[in-house]
Amino acid sequence: MSCSSDPEMRKDPVVDRWVLIAPERAKRPGDLPVALFPELPNGCPFCEGREDQTPSEVFAIRPGSANANGPGWRVRVVPNMYPAVSAPSPAASGEDGDRRPAQGGGVGEVEFVSLPAVGIHEVIVECPQHESSLTVMPVEHIATILATWRDRMLQIRENREAVYVQVFKNHGPAAGASLEHAHSQLIGLPRIPSVIQAELDAVERHKGQFGGCLFCDLIEREQSAGERLIRSTDRFTAFTAFAGRFPYETWIFPRQHNGRFEETSRAQIQGLAELLRWFLGRLDQCADRPSYNLLLHTAPFIGATADYFHWHFEFLPRLTGVAGFEWGTGCFVNPIVPEKAAEILRQVK
Ligand SMILES: [Zn+2]
Ligand SMILES: [Zn+2]
Ligand SMILES: [Zn+2]
């Protein structure tokens, strides 16, 4: 592995994805235009006291006896006002709601497949006050947010409203957030998304070849090599991705094999919240409070994949743009060598 500033191509150890590590690119003038959140004429709809500006809540953490859709909550889940999928009807939920045949047909050798995008699209409003960042919240509160993700996933699984739930957080305008107030989202889908399928195929191949979990083996390699390791606790490990698409791209894994995020224990969630807050504080210092996307990858609700899949978080700090080369090739350009990024994240105080 080269330690010089010569550009290098790297392949992701899990999926078939290449990146260009090009340190010289960091020297060019500002990459991303500075974006700002729009002014909201009626104030922020996520703040406590403005519950009537969102659809009725589907879930909330309310420590007292406060009524639904009024103040007194700590975390609140509401349907997205502008959903990417349509809500399941009661008749369609349950048996085989996820297996309806695709509409459309073949034209010569070309197949046009379409199916109704029935699912769940929800916003998790992460706190009642107008805060923008998890880094100002107590660890206990971050644990409550993570437990909300888990509990909603469990409910969606039980109701068979989706086969896969993508939990994600867009923080900051450069990461696609449209509102400043801290929030995350979940989309429950009727099909397994292709990115997850690619990871499932990779873990299945690895299991056939070596007999174990690809992610457990990856964690062991990163723990012993240490060059990309940022922090390791008794339950979790955080390291920069070998073929990171963005500067400081970091993956967080439970160290014990665990396929399904929705089955994490309260103690695990507490440990995860501590590491998350620690990591985000470091990232803020290293990269001047960047926008980021946080993605949760977990085993789908269908299939026996949880035995060899391993849930994890992927953090994508949005410090570089995605432009023609990336769209054209699928290959991202990362100007900070992942080992250097880990060193900076470890050292900053
Ligand atoms: Zn607000
Ligand atoms: Zn594993
Ligand atoms: Zn992943």
Side-chain angles (χ1 to χ4, degrees), residues 44-48 50 128-131 180-182:
C44 170
F46 291 166
C47 278
E48 187 173 32
R50 298 215 181 94
Q129 329 78 23
H130 193 78
E131 299 288 1
E180 187 177 40
H181 192 126

Side-chain angles (χ1 to χ4, degrees), residues 113-280:
V113 177
S114 130
L115 73 160
V118 177
I120 307 272
H121 190 172
E122 293 171 354
V123 177
I124 298 97
V125 185
E126 295 175 337
C127 59
Q129 329 78 23
H130 193 78
E131 299 288 1
S132 63
S133 173
L134 294 178
T135 53
V136 300
M137 299 179 199
V139 167
E140 198 51 49
H141 190 84
I142 296 173
T144 304
I145 297 164
L146 298 174
T148 303
W149 294 356
R150 177 197 61 190
D151 293 349
R152 265 314 278 151
M153 286 177 77
L154 270 177
Q155 289 168 349
I156 293 167
R157 185 174 91 175
E158 260 166 44
N159 296 339
R160 302 184 67 191
E161 291 168 311
V163 302
Y164 189 79
V165 171
Q166 178 60 55
V167 173
F168 60 101
K169 182 172 167 66
N170 300 334
H171 171 81
S178 52
L179 286 170
E180 187 177 40
H181 192 126
H183 67 284
S184 39
Q185 299 180 64
L186 66 80
I187 298 187
L189 293 164
R191 286 289 181 277
I192 297 172
S194 54
V195 169
I196 299 304
Q197 192 57 56
E199 291 192 0
L200 290 169
D201 292 345
V203 292
E204 198 156 357
R205 268 198 309 275
H206 187 88
K207 186 175 177 263
Q209 212 173 343
F210 303 103
C213 164
L214 165 60
F215 291 119
C216 280
D217 291 347
L218 173 66
I219 291 163
E220 205 177 301
R221 279 286 300 270
E222 294 294 2
Q223 291 274 134
S224 57
E227 55 185 343
R228 285 175 293 277
L229 199 63
I230 304 169
R231 192 174 176 205
S232 186
T233 66
D234 55 342
R235 291 176 191 271
F236 291 93
T237 185
F239 51 85
T240 54
F242 169 76
R245 290 152 284 185
F246 294 92
Y248 304 104
E249 176 172 337
T250 295
W251 295 358
I252 294 180
F253 284 85
R255 292 179 68 179
Q256 286 271 312
H257 181 78
N258 195 337
R260 301 187 186 282
F261 178 81
E262 74 272 18
E263 292 175 1
T264 47
S265 67
R266 181 74 214 186
Q268 276 179 309
I269 279 189
Q270 181 71 22
L272 180 61
E274 279 165 25
L275 182 58
L276 207 55
R277 193 174 184 276
W278 177 90
F279 168 72
L280 288 172

Side-chain angles (χ1 to χ4, degrees), residues 298-349:
T298 181
F301 296 156
I302 52 169
T305 49
D307 288 348
Y308 48 94
F309 198 76
H310 199 121
W311 73 259
H312 55 277
F313 282 160
E314 297 183 14
F315 270 99
L316 309 178
R318 300 299 299 273
L319 292 155
T320 47
V322 177
F325 178 72
E326 289 83 353
W327 289 120
T329 60
C331 178
F332 287 74
V333 183
N334 180 350
I336 302 188
V337 180
E339 294 73 39
K340 182 73 191 164
E343 192 185 317
I344 296 168
L345 284 162
R346 282 194 303 264
Q347 284 174 356
V348 73
K349 283 287 178 289

